[in-house]
Amino acid sequence: MQLGLAGKTALICASTSGLGRATARALAEEGVTVVVTGRSGERAKEVAGELPGAVGVGCDLVADGGAERLLTAAREAVGDLDILVLNGPGPAPGPARAIDTAGVAQAIATLVTPQEILVRGTLPAMVEKGWGRILSISSTSVQAPLPNLSLSNLGRAALAGYLKTLAAEVAAHGVTVNSLLPGRIATPRARQIDEAAAQRTGQSLDEVEAASKATIPAGRYGDPAEFGAVAAFLCSTQAAYVTGSALRCDGGMVPTL
């Protein structure tokens, strides 16, 4: 299938590793000029150097003014953005009964506020051109909240609600807004969650991973490249009639329709 993405521009948040990096690679291989981002500018440039036509920009999205600085740097590098991929690490694990006001504020500051600023900054140019793709790399927790990830569940659900509302408002302008929900993909974040579970339960990491894989009908963790391919499709011209959706990429793990 020809995805029709050659010559497009994209900003991929938190794309120096994990799912963001896999998405950046998939889009770059389709001819998209990709802006790779991460807290370390050196690392962002290193990863960008591995991709055709990509540029690397260092930025801490959670810092004051971080989202605004990233938008400015991205525009200076590639011009107006055709594709915006929202992504970022979640808050630390913990039970719902242990969260407090500061924790809630942190979840919103990490998973909602910078994303909304990025959307607000890129949307006008997309609407003017009559073409745009906004994709959130989220989590299956949006549909089935995950145990001991209360702050992540809270923040990701809030962002998903905002994006679903936005999707209906901009669909007639040729802009799609979707969420892609990874299950257990073999990334550093998945390992962090497994390590936290091992520490909490007293099991070994191997035991935690084996138990996790047993809950996945596919019997394994996903490959980041598999996730990147789905992300590229949702950003494609072929997916123009897919909007306001939350698509799972989870090996059948979530037991809901």
Side-chain angles (χ1 to χ4, degrees):
M1 180 183 293
Q2 298 297 316
L3 298 187
L5 289 174
K8 301 293 187 185
T9 60
L11 170 60
I12 319 295
C13 298
S15 46
T16 57
S17 68
L19 301 180
R21 184 176 182 177
T23 300
R25 177 174 294 280
L27 289 174
E29 290 175 350
E30 292 295 329
V32 177
T33 301
V34 170
V35 179
V36 174
T37 70
R39 288 189 178 93
S40 167
E42 255 184 54
R43 178 62 178 157
K45 290 174 182 176
E46 179 184 340
V47 172
E50 301 170 359
L51 306 176
V55 296
V57 174
C59 183
D60 183 356
L61 274 180
V62 181
D64 287 343
E68 292 89 346
R69 287 193 294 274
L70 179 56
L71 279 174
T72 298
R75 288 198 189 99
E76 289 175 352
V78 302
D80 286 333
L81 298 168
D82 300 304
I83 299 167
L84 172 64
V85 179
L86 304 171
N87 184 37
R97 64 182 181 178
I99 67 174
D100 54 20
T101 301
V104 172
Q106 179 201 16
I108 297 301
T110 301
L111 295 172
V112 180
T113 302
Q115 288 80 358
E116 185 278 327
I117 292 171
L118 291 173
V119 169
R120 181 158 31 97
T122 57
L123 192 57
M126 292 179 178
V127 169
E128 184 176 350
K129 285 186 288 188
W131 199 98
R133 300 289 183 265
I134 297 172
L135 179 66
S136 171
I137 297 178
S138 185
S139 166
T140 56
S141 65
V142 169
Q143 295 180 342
L146 296 170
N148 205 52
L149 289 176
S150 56
L151 290 176
S152 179
N153 293 338
L154 184 156
R156 294 189 191 283
L159 179 62
Y162 160 68
L163 293 176
K164 174 63 174 177
T165 306
L166 178 68
E169 297 174 0
V170 300
H173 298 285
V175 179
T176 69
V177 184
N178 292 292
S179 295
L180 183 53
L181 315 182
R184 303 313 305 276
I185 313 291
T187 64
R189 171 65 171 169
R191 187 174 182 85
Q192 177 191 33
I193 292 171
D194 286 344
E195 287 173 345
Q199 185 175 15
R200 188 175 68 253
T201 63
Q203 295 177 295
S204 70
L205 181 60
D206 286 343
E207 289 172 326
V208 169
E209 289 180 349
S212 180
K213 290 174 184 177
T215 69
I216 304 170
R220 61 180 177 86
Y221 285 4
D223 188 304
E226 295 172 311
F227 181 91
V230 180
F233 172 73
L234 288 175
C235 292
S236 72
T237 58
Q238 306 292 355
Y241 205 56
V242 180
T243 194
S245 295
L247 177 64
R248 293 196 301 268
C249 181
D250 69 346
M253 180 181 71
V254 176
T256 60
L257 292 174

